[in-house]
Amino acid sequence: QLIRKEEHAAGIAINCKSFGSSGWENRPTVGGVLDNFVYRAPDGYQWSEFPWKWDAHIKSIVNPHLTVTMNSAHFATYQAGKFAIDENGHRVDGMDNFVDHTNLIRINHYFTKSKAEWVLKRNKGIGDGQHVRPMEEFDWRDRNDVYDDLIIRHRNQLMQQHLEQLQHRFD
């Protein structure tokens, strides 16, 4: 529905919330990512090593018929006169778009997970290049300032709705 409100919109720019290790040194053996990684960076946080705010980083959902190329995993170049919008309907150019609040849509970015998982990920190298991230990046990104179980509450609501629908089918 967001994209239908703006006739020139060809994509949606979705802001990320960066989740840390929640104190896990090793991969948890019980439960999944949503259950075990519930602490994230505060809104508007940035590293001194980089000049941008990490929750301004976006991921994009694009209409491939209106997309010329994907510039990265984050943003696209669209056909002439077309562009991405954020959840407020504002035009977004590039891979950064700081918004005060994400009320309609967001991506939970589980970048580090546990320290052991980070080391495995790091050793593979980055997805869109040839280098290996510095080990210090775990410390830069492992932010656990804000308890955030929003996705768990939504998951539980959806599961309850699904169970109720199944129950109605068999009544």
Side-chain angles (χ1 to χ4, degrees):
Q1 266 205 355
L2 281 173
I3 209 159
R4 291 185 188 145
K5 292 180 182 179
E6 169 55 62
E7 68 177 288
H8 299 290
I12 300 173
I14 305 169
N15 287 79
C16 299
K17 296 296 179 190
S18 295
F19 283 72
S21 69
S22 291
W24 291 101
E25 286 290 320
N26 295 301
R27 182 180 184 170
T29 57
V30 177
V33 170
L34 303 183
D35 301 302
N36 288 298
F37 300 99
V38 293
Y39 287 92
R40 66 171 173 83
D43 295 341
Y45 95 101
Q46 65 189 71
W47 308 337
S48 58
E49 291 79 8
F50 297 96
W52 61 83
K53 294 179 178 175
W54 279 100
D55 58 352
H57 235 33
I58 63 160
K59 301 282 186 174
S60 296
I61 297 175
V62 304
N63 179 338
H65 300 291
L66 301 175
T67 303
V68 175
T69 188
M70 290 300 297
N71 299 307
S72 75
H74 300 279
F75 72 102
T77 297
Y78 300 99
Q79 292 178 5
K82 301 293 184 181
F83 49 83
I85 60 170
D86 64 17
E87 70 175 45
N88 299 310
H90 300 127
R91 181 178 177 150
V92 177
D93 297 306
M95 65 186 222
D96 292 317
N97 179 53
F98 184 74
V99 294
D100 290 333
H101 301 289
T102 51
N103 296 315
L104 298 176
I105 189 169
R106 77 176 194 193
I107 292 176
N108 286 359
H109 194 189
Y110 300 94
F111 188 83
T112 58
K113 296 186 197 163
S114 69
K115 190 160 193 174
E117 290 170 286
W118 160 258
V119 170
L120 290 172
K121 176 181 180 173
R122 175 194 173 273
N123 291 343
K124 292 178 186 176
I126 66 169
D128 58 356
Q130 300 297 317
H131 76 278
V132 174
R133 296 177 186 278
M135 204 48 216
E136 300 82 31
E137 191 168 346
F138 178 83
D139 296 323
W140 301 338
R141 289 199 182 220
D142 185 28
R143 299 297 303 267
N144 299 288
D145 306 270
V146 177
Y147 178 79
D148 186 337
D149 68 346
L150 181 65
I151 198 165
I152 295 171
R153 288 183 277 139
H154 282 295
R155 179 192 64 189
N156 293 344
Q157 283 179 322
L158 289 171
M159 288 174 69
Q160 182 61 38
Q161 289 171 357
H162 182 68
L163 289 172
E164 290 171 5
Q165 289 172 351
L166 285 174
Q167 183 63 41
H168 289 301
R169 289 173 83 185
F170 295 107
D171 285 346

